[in-house]
């Protein structure tokens, strides 16, 4: 594939966008075949999943097609698609993270035939990294984190149980979460980071 920086490619993109904006399916098909491998590769670098990257590439082009008349207003198609792909990919990852967060306890009830599903594998990877990070917390932070995040207690309930102030509980949690976020951000790829950071949202 040629670099978009070449004037010939840039001008051709503009012409194809203009035609596609009028509903020309042939022009849109040319855009699709020119850029779908690039979008797929970019998404794959982020999600580390061929199936998910392929779905993202298809969804990105559905978004592009739905722009219709606005297609002619795109100044730089390569840059536009890159930003659109990145934003959509992160949106997909956040959605996965929320789904996993909402049903993470169900993962323990998965039957053997579910053990190789993509969501389960990502969940287990994220769980392993998070547990490694938790083990490195100072004892008091680890205890407070466990009570708040793993047992679901509120700050005031933890304060009462440990006979410390609510402010102390909150401080321990803030330090623990800061450490855990930094740890997972440097020990895994973006897909798992997004999931873990969603799981590590501070509770009150």
């Amino acid at each position: 594939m040629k670099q978009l920086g070449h004037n010939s490619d840039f001008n051709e993109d503009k012409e194809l966008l203009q035609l596609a904006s009028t509903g020309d399916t042939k022009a849109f098909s040319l855009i699709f075949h020119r850029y779908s491998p690039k979008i797929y590769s970019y998404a794959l670098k982020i999600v580390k999943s061929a199936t998910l990257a392929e779905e993202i590439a298809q969804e990105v082009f559905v978004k592009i097609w739905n722009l219709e008349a606005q297609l002619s207003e795109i100044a730089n198609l390569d840059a536009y698609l890159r930003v659109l792909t990145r934003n959509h990919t992160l949106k997909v990852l956040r959605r996965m993270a929320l789904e996993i967060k909402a049903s993470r306890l169900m993962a323990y009830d998965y039957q053997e035939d579910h053990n190789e599903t993509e969501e389960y594998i990502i969940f287990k990877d994220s769980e392993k990294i998070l547990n490694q990070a938790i083990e490195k917390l100072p004892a008091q932070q680890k205890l407070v984190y466990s009570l708040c995040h793993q047992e679901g207690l509120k700050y005031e309930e933890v304060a009462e149980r440990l006979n410390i102030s609510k402010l102390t509980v909150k401080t321990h949690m803030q330090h623990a979460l800061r450490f855990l976020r930094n740890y997972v951000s440097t020990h895994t790829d973006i897909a798992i980071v997004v999931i873990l950071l969603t799981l590590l949202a501070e509770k009150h």
Side-chain angles (χ1 to χ4, degrees):
M1 184 182 297
K2 298 177 182 178
Q3 295 295 315
L4 185 64
H6 293 175
N7 289 334
S8 58
D9 279 350
F10 184 82
N11 292 333
E12 187 176 352
D13 280 344
K14 292 296 290 182
E15 292 173 8
L16 290 174
L17 286 169
Q18 183 62 47
L19 290 170
S21 70
T22 66
D24 189 322
T25 55
K26 184 177 179 181
F28 184 80
S29 179
L30 289 172
I31 292 173
F32 176 83
H33 288 295
R34 172 178 289 185
Y35 283 100
S36 59
K38 195 168 187 177
I39 290 177
Y40 168 82
S41 296
Y42 183 50
L44 184 61
K45 287 179 181 178
I46 301 176
V47 300
K48 306 292 194 280
S49 163
T51 302
L52 199 54
E54 188 173 333
E55 291 177 0
I56 288 169
Q58 293 173 352
E59 290 168 2
V60 165
F61 274 102
V62 169
K63 286 177 175 288
I64 289 292
W65 178 249
N66 287 335
L67 288 175
E68 298 177 334
Q70 297 176 49
L71 288 172
S72 60
E73 299 173 10
I74 297 174
N76 185 320
L77 183 57
D78 183 75
Y80 185 88
L81 287 174
R82 189 174 179 84
V83 171
L84 184 62
T85 302
R86 181 194 65 202
N87 291 344
H88 185 64
T89 300
L90 293 177
K91 181 179 179 181
V92 168
L93 291 175
R94 290 190 193 100
R95 186 178 67 221
M96 287 178 61
L98 291 173
E99 289 171 355
I100 290 174
K101 183 178 182 181
S103 61
R104 53 181 170 169
L105 293 179
M106 292 175 59
Y108 295 104
D109 299 324
Y110 270 25
Q111 300 299 317
E112 191 67 28
D113 59 347
H114 289 121
N115 282 350
E116 296 306 316
T117 62
E118 191 161 15
E119 292 82 0
Y120 184 81
I121 292 170
I122 292 176
F123 174 84
K124 296 306 291 184
D125 285 344
S126 63
E127 182 184 50
K128 178 181 177 181
I129 292 165
L130 182 55
N131 286 338
Q132 289 173 353
I134 292 171
E135 288 303 312
K136 295 181 181 297
L137 287 172
Q140 192 74 351
Q141 289 181 23
K142 183 178 178 182
L143 178 58
V144 169
Y145 174 84
S146 176
L147 292 172
C148 290
H149 260 259
Q150 297 174 327
E151 292 190 29
L153 299 183
K154 295 182 178 179
Y155 285 176
E156 51 265 32
E157 294 172 325
V158 175
E160 184 177 345
R161 180 178 296 193
L162 300 181
N163 196 29
I164 57 178
S165 71
K166 180 180 175 181
L167 179 60
T168 301
V169 172
K170 182 176 181 180
T171 300
H172 281 313
M173 274 297 291
Q174 288 175 336
H175 287 314
L177 291 174
R178 187 178 302 118
F179 171 81
L180 294 174
R181 292 186 191 114
N182 288 337
Y183 183 91
V184 301
S185 295
T186 56
H187 285 77
T188 187
D189 60 54
I190 184 65
I192 296 178
V193 166
V194 172
I195 290 172
L196 289 174
L197 294 186
T198 302
L199 296 179
L200 292 173
E202 185 173 357
K203 299 177 180 179
H204 296 280

